Amino acid sequence: ELKLPMRAAEQIPAADAGDQERMQWWREAKYGMFIHWGLYAEPARGEWVMIDEEWPVADYAALAKDFNPTAFDATEWVNVAKEAGMKYMVITAKHHDGFAMYDSEVSPFNIVDATPYKKDPLKALSEACEQAGIQFGIYYSQAFDWYHPGGKIPRGGAWDPAQEGSFDDYFNEIAIPQIQEIIKGYNPHVIWFDMPAGMTDEKCRQMMDVIRGLKPGMIVNSRLKFTGPKTSVLQPDELTLLRELGVDYLTYRDREIPETTLWRDWETCMTLNHSWGFTEGDEDWKDAKTIIEMLGRVVNMDGNFLLNFGPTAEGRLPTEAVKSVKEAGAWLKVNGEAVYGVRASELKDFDIPKATRAPNGRLRSVTPKVKWLATARPADAAMGAPAKLYIQIFEWPGSTLEITGIEGKVKRAYFLADATQSPLTFQQKGE
Ligand code: JFZ
């Protein structure tokens, strides 16, 4: 029997029973579709345009008068996710700009009441996801809100002290009621919070109580309070914070893949080009091979991969992005057994260039050269299925690949792409 190399446990806190049940589908899913879509698609310079270019709130809000994404088709977007092999979706219900992409009774600053479009894309996506068996989730900016008075506004590394309105009022009158109406009206399975500016322990507890009260099975990410680990190892205070928050998984730093496993459940979010919200001229798209390799690296360390689309103001997913994920999806159709529902394996052959530190102490991301990596599937006695080790090879080694670190006797080796599963020749030296 193969002895599968499993991940080290020190950094992984014990999960409560509810936790295990909640997280089951998420742990197996591995790969999701992230969508940053809002009024900012119109100026097409990213989702921070209002702050970056210091737009007066009224000017930004006026974008709503022209927002009319008539090309939006929920079924088409969900089909792209499906063909890409993505198992869940997380879409911006409200980003930092404060604009709700759904029919909100809490605030008229929403797509149904403030635009000529008048329809509710969140409703359409929630329903299309349900039909297609994709788990629907929403992104919600709980603290930054640049439209509603009291919502946090960043200025020079902190928040604007001169802003009008109280954060308490904003939180109680906008954030909490909007989360309530989204849970009741759209049946999300994941809530993805972002940017914890000003989130006190008490506000976090209040939010978690509201969420778990309405839906105990909701999966919540760590950005409710925790921006991200400072280094690629979680510090003791960071671990304590995560445990006490009662959230379900750790959101890693944006667009970075850690070098080791950090916490029991974690996810990294990634852009397909260099932007989250639609950005004119950013055409440097990742290709299918890069996507497969990134997903492989994440799954090799028990993480999930959330890959972002920034749709246009007309409601279209960028064509090149769709092409790349569909190509990766074709690979997953054949090789998905090595990805979905697997466990981390420490076996890999990476050349990871030394990480460098930015002046603020943060690690700069590095791009490793992956020769091959492995994932593992424990034996399932009930199903009569043997333990399996999957090797993803990114640099074709010629006629022989040497793998060090397999314990136990290997019975058979074959290509997943070979439907007949005809065995490959292999030699095992010692254990
Ligand atoms: C945040 C947002 O401000 C941004 O607009 C986008 O939605 C992104 C997914 O999340 O930006 C961040 C948050 C955290 C880090 C970097 C950018 N981080 O921890 O490195």
Short mmCIF file of all heavy atoms in Angstrom, two decimals, residues 45-66:
data_model
loop_
_atom_site.label_atom_id
_atom_site.label_comp_id
_atom_site.label_asym_id
_atom_site.label_seq_id
_atom_site.Cartn_x
_atom_site.Cartn_y
_atom_site.Cartn_z
N ARG A 45 -11.04 51.69 -15.68
CA ARG A 45 -9.70 51.83 -15.13
C ARG A 45 -9.59 51.18 -13.75
O ARG A 45 -8.85 51.63 -12.89
CB ARG A 45 -9.32 53.32 -15.06
CG ARG A 45 -9.19 53.95 -16.45
CD ARG A 45 -8.64 55.36 -16.41
NE ARG A 45 -9.53 56.33 -15.79
CZ ARG A 45 -10.58 56.91 -16.38
NH1 ARG A 45 -10.88 56.60 -17.63
NH2 ARG A 45 -11.32 57.79 -15.74
N GLY A 46 -10.34 50.13 -13.56
CA GLY A 46 -10.23 49.35 -12.32
C GLY A 46 -11.21 49.81 -11.25
O GLY A 46 -11.78 50.89 -11.32
N GLU A 47 -11.38 48.96 -10.20
CA GLU A 47 -12.42 49.17 -9.19
C GLU A 47 -12.06 50.24 -8.15
O GLU A 47 -12.90 50.62 -7.35
CB GLU A 47 -12.77 47.83 -8.52
CG GLU A 47 -11.74 47.29 -7.53
CD GLU A 47 -10.51 46.69 -8.19
OE1 GLU A 47 -10.42 46.68 -9.43
OE2 GLU A 47 -9.60 46.24 -7.45
N TRP A 48 -10.83 50.76 -8.20
CA TRP A 48 -10.42 51.81 -7.26
C TRP A 48 -10.46 53.20 -7.91
O TRP A 48 -9.98 54.17 -7.33
CB TRP A 48 -9.01 51.53 -6.73
CG TRP A 48 -8.99 50.61 -5.55
CD1 TRP A 48 -9.26 49.27 -5.55
CD2 TRP A 48 -8.67 50.95 -4.18
NE1 TRP A 48 -9.15 48.76 -4.27
CE2 TRP A 48 -8.78 49.77 -3.41
CE3 TRP A 48 -8.32 52.14 -3.54
CZ2 TRP A 48 -8.54 49.74 -2.04
CZ3 TRP A 48 -8.08 52.11 -2.16
CH2 TRP A 48 -8.20 50.91 -1.43
N VAL A 49 -11.02 53.31 -9.10
CA VAL A 49 -10.93 54.54 -9.90
C VAL A 49 -11.40 55.78 -9.11
O VAL A 49 -10.80 56.85 -9.19
CB VAL A 49 -11.68 54.40 -11.24
CG1 VAL A 49 -13.18 54.22 -11.04
CG2 VAL A 49 -11.40 55.57 -12.16
N MET A 50 -12.45 55.60 -8.32
CA MET A 50 -13.02 56.73 -7.59
C MET A 50 -12.00 57.34 -6.61
O MET A 50 -11.91 58.57 -6.49
CB MET A 50 -14.23 56.20 -6.81
CG MET A 50 -15.04 57.23 -6.12
SD MET A 50 -16.42 56.34 -5.32
CE MET A 50 -17.09 57.67 -4.40
N ILE A 51 -11.24 56.49 -5.93
CA ILE A 51 -10.25 56.97 -4.97
C ILE A 51 -8.96 57.36 -5.70
O ILE A 51 -8.39 58.44 -5.48
CB ILE A 51 -9.95 55.88 -3.92
CG1 ILE A 51 -11.17 55.66 -3.03
CG2 ILE A 51 -8.70 56.20 -3.09
CD1 ILE A 51 -11.56 56.83 -2.16
N ASP A 52 -8.53 56.50 -6.62
CA ASP A 52 -7.28 56.74 -7.35
C ASP A 52 -7.30 58.10 -8.04
O ASP A 52 -6.31 58.81 -8.08
CB ASP A 52 -7.04 55.65 -8.40
CG ASP A 52 -6.61 54.34 -7.77
OD1 ASP A 52 -6.28 54.35 -6.57
OD2 ASP A 52 -6.62 53.31 -8.48
N GLU A 53 -8.46 58.45 -8.62
CA GLU A 53 -8.54 59.69 -9.39
C GLU A 53 -9.31 60.78 -8.66
O GLU A 53 -9.65 61.80 -9.25
CB GLU A 53 -9.17 59.40 -10.77
CG GLU A 53 -8.33 58.40 -11.57
CD GLU A 53 -8.95 58.06 -12.93
OE1 GLU A 53 -9.90 58.76 -13.35
OE2 GLU A 53 -8.47 57.10 -13.57
N GLU A 54 -9.58 60.53 -7.38
CA GLU A 54 -10.24 61.51 -6.50
C GLU A 54 -11.52 62.10 -7.10
O GLU A 54 -11.72 63.31 -7.15
CB GLU A 54 -9.25 62.63 -6.11
CG GLU A 54 -8.06 62.06 -5.34
CD GLU A 54 -7.07 63.14 -4.90
OE1 GLU A 54 -7.48 64.31 -4.76
OE2 GLU A 54 -5.90 62.78 -4.69
N TRP A 55 -12.39 61.19 -7.54
CA TRP A 55 -13.68 61.63 -8.07
C TRP A 55 -14.59 62.09 -6.93
O TRP A 55 -14.70 61.39 -5.91
CB TRP A 55 -14.41 60.48 -8.76
CG TRP A 55 -13.85 60.03 -10.06
CD1 TRP A 55 -12.54 60.03 -10.45
CD2 TRP A 55 -14.61 59.48 -11.15
NE1 TRP A 55 -12.42 59.49 -11.71
CE2 TRP A 55 -13.68 59.15 -12.16
CE3 TRP A 55 -15.95 59.22 -11.36
CZ2 TRP A 55 -14.07 58.58 -13.38
CZ3 TRP A 55 -16.34 58.65 -12.56
CH2 TRP A 55 -15.41 58.35 -13.56
N PRO A 56 -15.32 63.20 -7.10
CA PRO A 56 -16.38 63.54 -6.15
C PRO A 56 -17.44 62.44 -6.19
O PRO A 56 -17.71 61.88 -7.26
CB PRO A 56 -16.95 64.85 -6.69
CG PRO A 56 -15.90 65.40 -7.60
CD PRO A 56 -15.15 64.22 -8.15
N VAL A 57 -18.02 62.13 -5.04
CA VAL A 57 -18.99 61.03 -4.94
C VAL A 57 -20.12 61.20 -5.96
O VAL A 57 -20.52 60.25 -6.63
CB VAL A 57 -19.58 60.95 -3.51
CG1 VAL A 57 -20.64 59.88 -3.43
CG2 VAL A 57 -18.46 60.66 -2.51
N ALA A 58 -20.61 62.44 -6.11
CA ALA A 58 -21.74 62.67 -7.03
C ALA A 58 -21.37 62.33 -8.47
O ALA A 58 -22.19 61.78 -9.21
CB ALA A 58 -22.18 64.13 -6.93
N ASP A 59 -20.12 62.63 -8.86
CA ASP A 59 -19.69 62.30 -10.23
C ASP A 59 -19.64 60.79 -10.43
O ASP A 59 -20.05 60.28 -11.47
CB ASP A 59 -18.28 62.87 -10.51
CG ASP A 59 -18.31 64.39 -10.61
OD1 ASP A 59 -19.41 64.98 -10.43
OD2 ASP A 59 -17.24 64.98 -10.86
N TYR A 60 -19.13 60.12 -9.41
CA TYR A 60 -19.06 58.65 -9.53
C TYR A 60 -20.47 58.06 -9.59
O TYR A 60 -20.77 57.22 -10.43
CB TYR A 60 -18.27 58.04 -8.37
CG TYR A 60 -18.07 56.55 -8.55
CD1 TYR A 60 -16.99 56.06 -9.30
CD2 TYR A 60 -18.98 55.63 -8.00
CE1 TYR A 60 -16.82 54.70 -9.49
CE2 TYR A 60 -18.81 54.27 -8.19
CZ TYR A 60 -17.73 53.80 -8.93
OH TYR A 60 -17.56 52.45 -9.13
N ALA A 61 -21.33 58.55 -8.71
CA ALA A 61 -22.70 58.03 -8.64
C ALA A 61 -23.44 58.25 -9.96
O ALA A 61 -24.30 57.45 -10.33
CB ALA A 61 -23.46 58.67 -7.48
N ALA A 62 -23.06 59.32 -10.67
CA ALA A 62 -23.72 59.63 -11.95
C ALA A 62 -23.46 58.56 -13.01
O ALA A 62 -24.19 58.46 -13.99
CB ALA A 62 -23.27 61.00 -12.44
N LEU A 63 -22.43 57.73 -12.80
CA LEU A 63 -22.16 56.64 -13.74
C LEU A 63 -23.37 55.71 -13.85
O LEU A 63 -23.59 55.08 -14.89
CB LEU A 63 -20.95 55.81 -13.26
CG LEU A 63 -19.56 56.41 -13.39
CD1 LEU A 63 -18.54 55.50 -12.69
CD2 LEU A 63 -19.18 56.59 -14.86
N ALA A 64 -24.14 55.64 -12.77
CA ALA A 64 -25.28 54.72 -12.75
C ALA A 64 -26.29 55.03 -13.85
O ALA A 64 -26.90 54.13 -14.41
CB ALA A 64 -25.96 54.77 -11.38
N LYS A 65 -26.42 56.35 -14.18
CA LYS A 65 -27.41 56.76 -15.20
C LYS A 65 -27.15 56.10 -16.55
O LYS A 65 -28.06 55.95 -17.36
CB LYS A 65 -27.36 58.29 -15.39
CG LYS A 65 -27.90 59.06 -14.19
CD LYS A 65 -28.34 60.48 -14.59
CE LYS A 65 -27.30 61.31 -15.32
NZ LYS A 65 -26.15 61.82 -14.65
N ASP A 66 -25.87 55.74 -16.80
CA ASP A 66 -25.51 55.15 -18.09
C ASP A 66 -25.21 53.66 -18.01
O ASP A 66 -24.80 53.05 -19.00
CB ASP A 66 -24.28 55.86 -18.67
CG ASP A 66 -24.55 57.34 -18.87
OD1 ASP A 66 -25.61 57.67 -19.42
OD2 ASP A 66 -23.69 58.15 -18.45
#
